[in-house]
Amino acid sequence: MNDILQTPIEYLKGVGPSRGEMLRKELNIHRYGDLLTLFPNRYIDRTRYYKINELQAGNTEVQIVGKIIHFKTIEQSKGRGRLVATFVDETGEMELVWFQGQKWIRESLKLNTPYVAFGKVTSFSGQFNMAHPELELLEEHKQSLRSAMQPVYPSTEKLTQKGISNRTINKMMQQLFVETQARFTESLPPNLMEELKLIPKNAALFNIHFPKSQELLSKAQFRLKFEELFFIQLQLITKNLIRKHKIKGHPFEKVGKHFNTFYQHHLPFELTNAQKRVIKEIRNDLGSNAQMNRLLQGDVGSGKTIVALLCMLMALDNGFQSCLMAPTEILATQHFNGLSELAKDLNINIKLLTGSTKTSERKIIHEALEKGELHILIGTHALLEDKVQFHNLGLAIIDEQHRFGVEQRSKLWKKNDIPPHVLVMTATPIPRTLAMSMYGDLDISVIDELPPGRKPIQTVHRYDSNRLKVWKFLKDEIAKGRQIYIVYPLINESEKMDYKDLMDGYESISRDFPLPQYSVSIVHGQMKPAEKDEEMRRFAAGKTNIMVATTVIEVGVNVPNASVMVIESAERFGLSQLHQLRGRVGRGAEQSYCILMTGHKLSNDSKIRLETMCKTNDGFEIAEVDLKLRGPGDIMGTQQSGVLNLQIADLVRDRDILQLARHEAIKLLKKDPSMALPEHQTLRMIFMEMSKKKNIWNYIS
């Protein structure tokens, strides 16, 4: 471990207190080690020097060797002016221009002395000029550590204003390597380095900041990306192994009467092979002595609810209670209705607990729960209240878990002396790379096929100018007895944005689909829960033909007769949201449709999203495209993405390195679970430090 890397950043020569404060605030650089892991965003090739007569105006940076022969200040209105220097070489002349810091620049520059000017060239009135160039005396330029590939570091506007330019950070980095003598503790075991042909730590850090060639830069990047992902995987896999060894679960030893009766006599349809596989995986977990922590991924409509019920019946057969927690009342109520219907012939006690449950009813639920008379409790956050005490909770199922924080989930654990088995369900397909990183400590099951008889939803993109044809199509579908969703992105018109506004849409739809022939419902987030439920009930009962709504219907509403989903201003929605909304239809045996309505002005990303939706119904394919467009942070939501504060690796571009890192971490932990072998001592030390803190790079360096 390099103790010098713990030195506060202001002690680095050339930094000092005020720059140190700026680096802390703007780039979160507190110590030498933080600066060392400020990795460049990109590199500029500085192997070539241009002559002035070779210049072309463009967007690339160039460097030129020449001399300043003359200065002039050009005054402009309101005291603003610019400093212009005439810069010459043997082939011609050009201008260097500064709009800020003119006095200081004028005093610091020498006339008729060789400089290297570096920056972007533009052409104005036939004359080439370079605004705010980086200037370095030719003599110093030759002696500096600077490499042919020049790093460009992350920066902010405030840093630039305070004179901490890319060149300044580069100089700080050079000083850091001088003071540390570029000696950094090797963090990976020798046999792993040899097997993967990784370059040593010192060489990797030197070549990431001062690459001698493209080849060495690539090797440095690979080594550092692998290392970052390897340590994250070590943490996740160890966490999983420790949990399985330490946290004992209730072994569900038998599959008994409830499960078998339901499976043999009351299954409403034949299970898919994927459902059977997943139930087997869960059954193995529940039968072991370890506590289950499993993520169940299944696309919209893939049949996760029936898997959840079968798991709850296993709990019941072993004398345990279960609970299912959903993020919204609508979804909790729907789970309650669905499960009650499925289990109606089984003589089991299922209850619903939400914010709307009456006090008198709550009392009955609390008492039955504590006595063990209540077998399955379904609800919202209300399940987490201290008053909710189970007799013996054996299985906790959490739906759409990314909507719950870690603390909320851990409250469920504490509802029993021995933590219940946990099954986390999500209809948001998570790309494999993200699942390996965000949920690497969970075991993952995937339902990757739809129940038989389901027809794929046909998705089309239509412009607003085709609206009359779309409306005709809707009337034809209603004439066949089908129902329609029309979803808007906003409730009321926002002044800044021209989103289609729900109230506006509702009025015009009511005009185009008039009573008594048609009946239109409306649902949005600002309605009272009771009003919302009433509108939903009317639609589900077939009393209204069209449901005009915001995205409150995104999760879990199940109306098999609804066969068309129209999404207004579809370009305003993210891919996973579009996919979730589309999943509200296609639940019956009829052919279903999703119509994406947009204006003509579309960004490139919007076009990719719409094309992806029209091309595929596969949630995992959609999630991969979404990950490429948005990055991991946005997909997982802030609660989750903080886990992955990656410094150099990228989950989209480096998925192969991630898979390799996971494979190697598993292999190492199988051979040496506690990292006790002599060759793993450094690894163990870094790992122990990392486990206490978040930012792994402070320790890896």
Side-chain angles (χ1 to χ4, degrees):
M1 219 38 61
N2 294 68
D3 290 336
I4 192 170
L5 292 178
Q6 299 304 317
T7 312
I9 195 64
E10 55 267 33
Y11 291 106
L12 185 71
K13 189 180 171 190
V15 177
S18 68
R19 277 184 171 178
E21 187 58 27
M22 286 300 293
L23 290 171
R24 274 194 177 85
K25 275 186 186 162
E26 295 298 300
L27 294 175
N28 208 17
I29 292 173
H30 298 262
R31 299 186 173 81
Y32 281 22
D34 298 327
L35 180 63
L36 184 66
T37 58
L38 178 73
F39 297 120
N41 287 334
R42 61 192 178 92
Y43 297 84
I44 296 162
D45 184 357
R46 292 195 65 167
T47 48
R48 181 166 176 201
Y49 296 87
Y50 284 78
K51 300 289 180 198
I52 291 175
N53 68 353
E54 296 174 319
L55 295 179
Q56 291 177 337
N59 216 14
T60 51
E61 284 123 330
V62 296
Q63 54 188 0
I64 308 152
V65 179
K67 296 176 182 177
I68 294 170
I69 56 166
H70 176 65
F71 280 117
K72 63 182 173 190
T73 303
I74 298 170
E75 292 296 339
Q76 283 172 289
S77 60
K78 293 182 183 170
R80 287 182 180 169
R82 63 183 190 274
L83 177 66
V84 179
T86 307
F87 189 70
V88 301
D89 70 2
E90 65 276 20
T91 69
E93 66 174 53
M94 64 181 292
E95 290 182 341
L96 308 179
V97 186
W98 293 269
F99 297 96
Q100 288 162 337
Q102 297 152 23
K103 184 172 181 291
W104 168 77
I105 290 162
R106 178 85 174 74
E107 287 165 3
S108 65
L109 292 179
K110 301 171 183 174
L111 289 173
N112 298 311
T113 309
Y115 276 103
V116 177
F118 173 75
K120 284 183 186 167
V121 173
T122 53
S123 173
F124 186 70
S125 302
Q127 169 100 44
F128 285 114
N129 61 55
M130 194 184 275
H132 288 272
E134 257 184 45
L135 278 180
E136 193 174 17
L137 289 165
L138 182 60
E139 207 53 43
E140 285 178 13
H141 180 79
K142 285 175 182 168
Q143 289 167 3
S144 77
L145 250 180
R146 175 173 292 155
S147 59
M149 312 284 298
Q150 195 180 326
V152 178
Y153 290 99
S155 186
T156 68
E157 213 174 309
K158 277 191 182 163
L159 286 177
T160 317
Q161 284 168 358
K162 295 283 181 187
I164 303 177
S165 63
N166 193 59
R167 185 172 157 210
T168 315
I169 292 177
N170 200 302
K171 282 195 163 167
M172 288 176 187
M173 204 63 80
Q174 291 184 34
Q175 184 59 32
L176 179 69
F177 273 77
V178 169
E179 289 188 26
T180 56
Q181 297 177 338
R183 286 187 191 149
F184 306 110
T185 310
E186 184 51 73
S187 42
L188 296 174
N191 55 347
L192 182 61
M193 303 260 302
E194 207 172 304
E195 184 196 334
L196 299 179
K197 311 244 180 315
L198 298 173
I199 63 170
K201 181 60 167 264
N202 291 342
L205 285 167
F206 186 85
N207 280 288
I208 203 84
H209 292 295
F210 313 106
K212 291 286 176 228
S213 68
Q214 184 61 54
E215 188 192 356
L216 278 168
L217 172 61
S218 298
K219 285 183 174 173
Q221 286 171 327
F222 183 85
R223 148 79 207 226
L224 295 171
K225 285 173 177 186
F226 173 83
E227 181 174 357
E228 181 172 39
L229 294 167
F230 177 72
F231 274 98
I232 287 172
Q233 291 304 321
L234 270 187
Q235 270 188 306
L236 289 166
I237 296 156
T238 307
K239 200 166 143 191
N240 195 348
L241 292 172
I242 288 172
R243 204 192 59 246
K244 283 179 177 167
H245 287 299
K246 271 196 181 169
I247 303 177
K248 295 297 166 227
H250 304 284
F252 291 2
E253 282 156 358
K254 62 179 181 193
V255 173
K257 186 180 76 169
H258 287 103
F259 183 95
N260 288 327
T261 305
F262 180 76
Y263 198 89
Q264 285 156 18
H265 305 295
H266 302 299
L267 261 186
F269 45 77
E270 172 74 15
L271 294 184
T272 62
N273 289 330
Q275 284 171 312
K276 287 176 185 168
R277 184 189 69 239
V278 165
I279 289 165
K280 201 170 171 187
E281 288 167 357
I282 293 170
R283 222 168 105 174
N284 289 341
D285 283 358
L286 297 174
S288 76
N289 275 326
Q291 184 234 6
M292 174 174 84
N293 230 359
R294 190 168 278 279
L295 173 69
L296 173 58
Q297 285 183 259
D299 222 334
V300 178
S302 61
K304 294 184 295 298
T305 311
I306 204 141
V307 170
L309 176 62
L310 286 162
C311 297
M312 290 168 165
L313 295 176
M314 277 186 235
L316 191 53
D317 281 335
N318 288 275
F320 291 100
Q321 295 165 304
S322 304
C323 69
L324 191 160
M325 186 165 79
T328 63
E329 263 189 47
I330 290 175
L331 192 47
T333 307
Q334 189 169 303
H335 277 306
F336 173 69
N337 294 338
L339 291 169
S340 302
E341 176 59 30
L342 285 167
K344 65 177 186 281
D345 301 321
L346 293 181
N347 191 27
I348 58 177
N349 190 357
I350 305 178
K351 286 280 183 276
L352 174 69
L353 180 66
T354 70
S356 309
T357 308
K358 293 190 176 78
T359 315
S360 55
E361 217 171 304
R362 272 170 194 264
K363 206 166 168 237
I364 297 166
I365 289 172
H366 291 162
E367 281 172 15
L369 204 58
E370 282 188 61
K371 287 180 187 163
E373 294 163 2
L374 180 52
H375 305 128
I376 294 173
L377 181 60
I378 294 162
T380 54
H381 298 74
L383 299 188
L384 303 173
E385 290 168 7
D386 294 337
K387 287 195 275 278
V388 179
Q389 295 293 327
F390 291 82
H391 176 64
N392 57 353
L393 179 64
L395 173 66
I397 299 179
I398 300 165
D399 197 16
E400 292 304 331
Q401 80 95 38
H402 60 282
R403 298 181 177 218
F404 295 104
V406 179
E407 288 139 49
Q408 289 173 311
R409 295 205 305 275
S410 67
K411 275 189 181 174
L412 273 181
W413 275 46
K414 293 169 186 154
K415 296 279 180 188
N416 214 1
D417 298 338
I418 294 180
H421 296 291
V422 175
L423 180 66
V424 165
M425 301 199 302
T426 179
T428 308
I430 301 160
R432 204 182 131 78
T433 44
L434 263 192
M436 279 195 300
S437 311
M438 308 302 311
Y439 301 114
D441 60 327
L442 296 183
D443 298 306
I444 296 175
S445 290
V446 180
I447 303 180
D448 49 12
E449 58 182 308
L450 287 177
R454 287 272 174 96
K455 292 177 184 158
I457 300 160
Q458 283 185 22
T459 305
V460 293
H461 171 210
R462 295 287 179 263
Y463 292 106
D464 290 337
S465 50
N466 302 118
R467 190 170 295 281
L468 287 176
K469 280 185 182 168
V470 172
W471 267 202
K472 165 141 186 4
F473 174 72
L474 299 188
K475 285 176 178 172
D476 292 347
E477 284 296 296
I478 292 170
K480 292 179 197 165
R482 315 268 187 272
Q483 288 167 282
I484 319 281
Y485 291 108
I486 301 180
V487 177
Y488 287 84
L490 278 192
I491 294 175
N492 283 316
E493 203 163 345
S494 136
E495 288 170 47
K496 291 180 189 161
M497 299 175 185
D498 59 344
Y499 287 17
K500 284 268 180 305
D501 137 43
L502 179 92
M503 304 319 290
D504 226 25
Y506 176 65
E507 282 167 23
S508 71
I509 288 159
S510 301
R511 278 196 304 272
D512 293 338
F513 295 84
L515 287 160
Q517 194 180 352
Y518 302 101
S519 177
V520 184
S521 286
I522 182 166
V523 171
H524 57 73
Q526 290 181 7
M527 291 164 75
K528 292 193 175 87
E531 293 172 359
K532 229 178 336 191
D533 290 348
E534 179 52 31
E535 289 287 301
M536 289 280 192
R537 265 198 296 276
R538 287 177 62 218
F539 186 66
K543 289 179 181 165
T544 56
N545 316 103
I546 297 176
M547 161 74 75
V548 177
T550 53
T551 51
V552 289
I553 62 144
E554 174 189 340
V555 174
V557 185
N558 190 4
V559 182
N561 192 44
S563 65
V564 185
M565 166 65 70
V566 179
I567 303 174
E568 293 283 1
S569 302
E571 73 273 24
R572 309 289 188 186
F573 292 90
L575 251 181
S576 62
Q577 214 177 12
L578 287 172
H579 181 61
Q580 288 277 2
L581 286 166
R582 171 167 66 184
R584 299 299 108 232
V585 295
R587 297 185 158 235
E590 306 306 329
Q591 176 62 58
S592 288
Y593 305 90
C594 175
I595 302 170
L596 307 170
M597 301 292 295
T598 72
H600 279 276
K601 277 187 186 169
L602 295 173
S603 68
N604 276 345
D605 279 6
S606 297
K607 283 177 189 161
I608 293 170
R609 286 200 295 269
L610 297 167
E611 279 163 19
T612 305
M613 286 293 294
C614 294
K615 188 179 75 187
T616 181
N617 276 293
D618 180 337
F620 289 92
E621 202 179 316
I622 286 167
E624 290 289 352
V625 176
D626 203 21
L627 180 61
K628 283 178 188 153
L629 290 176
R630 292 199 295 161
D634 288 337
I635 289 182
M636 300 318 301
T638 45
Q639 282 173 331
Q640 306 288 346
S641 62
V643 185
L644 277 191
N645 220 341
L646 295 174
Q647 304 273 147
I648 188 167
D650 177 294
L651 286 186
V652 182
R653 288 197 293 270
D654 302 323
R655 50 192 295 182
D656 294 347
I657 305 178
L658 171 63
Q659 281 171 350
L660 177 67
R662 187 167 175 84
H663 170 74
E664 291 297 339
I666 290 169
K667 200 163 80 176
L668 185 141
L669 289 169
K670 267 186 183 161
K671 179 183 165 189
D672 182 16
S674 53
M675 295 179 249
L677 292 173
E679 66 266 32
H680 295 155
Q681 285 312 293
T682 309
L683 204 63
R684 182 184 165 84
M685 202 161 65
I686 295 169
F687 183 80
M688 302 303 277
E689 288 290 348
M690 271 170 59
S691 302
K692 294 179 208 163
K693 300 270 182 15
K694 265 282 169 65
N695 186 355
I696 65 170
W697 276 108
N698 287 336
Y699 306 103
I700 297 178
S701 300

